[in-house]
Amino acid sequence: MKVTALIILGCLVWEGTAKPGFPEQEKDPEFWKEWAQRTLKNALTLQDLNKNVAKNIILFLGDGMGIPTVTAARILKGQLNGQNGEETQLEMDKFPYVALSKTYNTNAQVPDSAGTATAYLCGVKANEGTVGVNAAAVKSQCNTTRGNEVTSILKWAKDAGKSVGIVTTTRVNHATPSAAYAHCVERDWYSDGEMPDEALQSGCKDIARQLFENIPDIDVIMGGGRKYMYPRNTPDVEYPGDKKHNGTRKDGRNLVKEWTDRMKDKRGSYVWNRKDLVSLNPNNVDYLLGLFEPGDLPYELERNKETDPSLTEMVDVAIKILKKNERGFYLLVEGGRIDHGHHDGKAKLALHEAVEMDRAITRAGLLTSIYDTLSVVTADHSHVFSFGGYTHRGNSIFGLAPTMSDIDQKPFTSILYGNGPGFKLVNGARENVSAVDYNQNNYQAQAAVPLKSETHGGEDVAIFSKGPMAHLLHGVQEQHYIPHVMAYAACIGQNKNHCRTSSGSPSVSNISPTLALLLSVKWLLC
């Protein structure tokens, strides 16, 4: 029986790690030299800097999308297309400028998503757990809010006459989007139903309420979080029999109705399902509120394609509405559930979320131009996610390492976590992964330290950029630098002196429309 078990185990390891080979052309040195020369030729075009004024600015935020996640998502994208994967390019890989962002919070070496959101949206580093307030505000202490509020680039853009939008796969009042409009010392105060009486009595407002009151005319809002908008015990429109999805508000307000009443004469539309969203004619809609789930949207791998829109579909509609403004737009797009997949130790869910965000980046690129649109892709923080084990070229990103452990003589997957719920002992020893289906969507990769929820990582994350002034995002930078560059490029916020000529009109760029067209064609071909 032991011999049989070893044979079966050996087959399983072979199945997960068999060498698929690599293209024959890669044996020829000229293949690599020609590739490098093409890359060099493209790089030389970057000597002509795009110093246009950015009419439009888009920030794509992959929550928890550390560099290992970017690499693994790249491989997955290729393998989904029948390739080995390593040689694949993500859309963000094609962006000409890359920098590193230092993600620490003012009071945390390894940050959370609230303090980081305040940095890359408001341009000010902050304490963990707080949104839209500076570091003088103390988490959960309501009386430290007033006087410590900081505004975001979304507000700077709105004040400049641009249209603005928020698209997320999480709740619209979750940490990342909330820093764009709210000032709150506690990221978990989604509605007044989650707030302590003391905070309410002291005058602090829940985040859902601030979404509609602080910047009342946000042009596009899409994501989840319906239940935080309705009075307590109000049944959800999609899940009326499930009480956990009922409204949570104690103040009795129906924020959705208040919004629709306010927007009825402003060509505003409220939608709560994919069918209604895709049937909209963006030319007939100036304001859009889309709340597609009571909480977060489902993972892309688990999405009901009839009822829930993809991130790409939401971005498509958002840009088509926002771009009608001749003054341009600002759009925040969050692939928020990359983070959730990692926290659960479910790498397959997380990586498919990252691939979907890359599709959304591709779609945005087709709807805009690098001539007048600055696009930035970054993350708020990383995770203790890794993949390794000397895997062969083309090995399934979710597969096994080619050899067994030389300590416990058991196989292991290439993907592992430093900590998290994937830690498991069987009879006092590490679980044998050959006894489980490590390719299933909800498989929890093995972790070194047992935790109910896997933690963030503290290393730098990447910033990818293209378009006007994208070259200013270079080197190793503090995270709060990002919105200052984006505002400078768009001539909004505090840096405007460079944007005016003696005639008072926006300055002419240093890049011609012809060159911009050529660059756009090159972008598509590459």
Side-chain angles (χ1 to χ4, degrees):
M1 288 184 66
K2 287 184 179 180
V3 172
T4 303
L6 286 172
I7 292 173
I8 293 172
L9 178 59
C11 290
L12 285 169
V13 173
W14 176 256
E15 180 184 359
T17 61
K19 294 182 182 180
F22 56 89
E24 188 68 23
Q25 62 185 352
E26 292 186 10
K27 296 179 181 179
D28 183 355
E30 292 305 312
F31 168 80
W32 300 104
K33 292 178 182 179
E34 290 173 7
W35 189 346
Q37 288 300 310
R38 289 195 304 273
T39 305
L40 176 60
K41 187 175 181 180
N42 287 336
L44 289 170
T45 66
L46 300 179
Q47 294 178 105
D48 298 318
L49 298 178
N50 182 347
K51 295 183 180 180
N52 293 353
V53 172
K55 176 181 178 182
N56 311 310
I57 39 180
I58 307 175
L59 176 63
F60 291 92
L61 193 285
D63 198 313
M65 191 181 70
I67 292 175
T69 297
V70 172
T71 307
R74 177 189 305 134
I75 294 171
L76 174 59
K77 177 184 177 181
Q79 293 180 348
L80 290 172
N81 292 326
Q83 303 167 339
N84 282 337
E86 299 85 359
E87 70 289 345
T88 301
Q89 273 194 309
L90 292 167
E91 189 65 23
M92 66 186 88
D93 291 339
K94 301 175 187 177
F95 285 28
Y97 299 100
V98 181
L100 290 178
S101 170
K102 298 163 68 176
T103 65
Y104 66 92
N105 296 147
T106 47
N107 65 340
Q109 186 178 74
V110 178
D112 90 314
S113 295
T116 52
T118 304
Y120 61 74
L121 291 174
C122 302
V124 174
K125 288 241 180 190
N127 293 327
E128 63 91 19
T130 66
V131 292
V133 289
N134 62 39
V138 181
K139 183 181 178 182
S140 301
Q141 293 187 21
C142 174
N143 61 1
T144 65
T145 306
R146 183 168 297 179
N148 292 319
E149 301 91 342
V150 290
T151 58
S152 77
I153 187 171
L154 182 141
K155 188 174 191 308
W156 309 339
K158 191 66 176 177
D159 289 346
K162 295 183 183 294
S163 294
V164 296
I166 296 169
V167 174
T168 180
T169 52
T170 67
R171 289 150 279 181
V172 294
N173 49 350
H174 206 252
T176 295
S178 65
Y181 57 82
H183 312 290
C184 194
V185 292
E186 176 51 70
R187 58 175 287 180
D188 292 336
W189 289 351
Y190 300 118
S191 76
D192 61 345
E194 288 76 41
M195 294 178 66
D197 291 337
E198 180 184 358
L200 291 170
Q201 292 164 6
S202 297
C204 278
K205 298 180 181 180
D206 64 89
I207 296 172
R209 179 181 169 188
Q210 292 189 57
L211 171 61
F212 298 104
E213 294 183 355
N214 288 3
I215 308 175
D217 291 330
I218 296 175
D219 302 80
V220 173
I221 303 167
M222 280 192 277
R226 271 197 310 261
K227 66 181 180 180
Y228 305 108
M229 314 300 168
Y230 289 94
R232 179 171 284 183
N233 298 324
T234 303
D236 183 73
V237 63
E238 189 173 5
Y239 311 102
D242 194 338
K243 292 185 177 180
K244 74 173 179 287
H245 295 315
N246 287 355
T248 63
R249 301 198 64 80
K250 293 190 295 187
D251 59 10
R253 293 176 65 177
N254 182 332
L255 298 179
V256 172
K257 186 178 186 305
E258 290 179 17
W259 185 91
T260 54
D261 288 346
R262 193 171 74 245
M263 295 298 177
K264 63 183 178 181
D265 296 324
K266 296 183 178 182
R267 303 210 308 173
S269 291
Y270 168 66
V271 295
W272 61 267
N273 60 68
R274 179 183 180 275
K275 179 181 177 182
D276 289 347
L277 176 68
V278 298
S279 66
L280 288 175
N281 181 345
N283 291 323
N284 298 328
V285 178
D286 291 337
Y287 294 93
L288 175 62
L289 175 62
L291 300 174
F292 303 105
E293 286 289 330
D296 301 318
L297 271 60
Y299 288 108
E300 178 63 22
L301 273 180
E302 299 174 345
R303 179 170 65 89
N304 182 327
K305 294 176 174 57
E306 298 297 320
T307 59
D308 290 304
S310 67
L311 183 61
T312 301
E313 290 169 334
M314 291 192 290
V315 166
D316 178 85
V317 174
I319 292 178
K320 287 176 179 176
I321 292 174
L322 297 172
K323 70 188 298 187
K324 293 184 299 180
N325 186 339
E326 62 181 15
R327 295 187 178 183
F329 66 84
Y330 171 82
L331 177 62
L332 168 64
V333 180
E334 182 196 21
R337 304 218 67 194
I338 301 169
D339 176 72
H340 296 174
H342 280 322
H343 277 307
D344 288 342
K346 298 176 180 179
K348 192 166 189 178
L349 295 179
L351 295 184
H352 275 269
E353 291 295 302
V355 171
E356 172 57 25
M357 193 180 86
D358 199 64
R359 292 191 193 102
I361 296 169
T362 301
R363 184 59 187 155
L366 294 173
L367 293 171
T368 58
S369 166
I370 58 170
Y371 178 68
D372 65 359
T373 302
L374 171 62
S375 298
V376 177
V377 181
T378 190
D380 47 357
H381 54 74
S382 185
H383 276 267
V384 291
F385 160 87
S386 66
F387 71 99
Y390 301 113
T391 47
H392 299 302
R393 176 79 176 274
N395 193 80
S396 168
I397 192 62
F398 304 114
L400 299 174
T403 59
M404 290 184 285
S405 166
D406 56 5
I407 301 297
D408 64 11
Q409 284 73 52
K410 294 177 184 176
F412 60 98
T413 56
S414 174
I415 288 176
L416 298 168
Y417 286 94
N419 57 49
F423 178 92
K424 188 176 182 181
L425 296 178
V426 177
N427 296 323
R430 182 172 69 91
E431 182 180 41
N432 191 327
V433 294
S434 64
V436 298
D437 181 6
Y438 50 80
N439 280 306
Q440 66 162 309
N441 293 352
N442 287 294
Y443 172 70
Q444 291 179 312
Q446 292 185 334
V449 176
L451 289 176
K452 291 181 180 179
S453 178
E454 175 264 5
T455 73
H456 296 167
E459 73 271 24
D460 298 348
V461 298
I463 311 170
F464 305 86
S465 58
K466 68 172 181 177
M469 298 293 179
H471 57 278
L472 298 180
L473 288 165
H474 68 100
V476 180
Q477 304 291 350
E478 296 287 353
Q479 192 170 49
H480 75 281
Y481 173 67
I482 295 171
H484 291 275
V485 170
M486 298 182 76
Y488 182 92
C491 292
I492 61 176
Q494 70 183 78
N495 294 115
K496 298 177 184 176
N497 292 338
H498 67 290
C499 305
R500 300 290 172 181
T501 63
S502 57
S503 64
S505 60
S507 60
V508 179
S509 65
N510 290 359
I511 181 171
S512 69
T514 302
L515 179 57
L517 177 62
L518 291 172
L519 288 172
S520 297
V521 171
K522 184 200 80 172
W523 207 273
L524 292 172
L525 292 175
C526 294

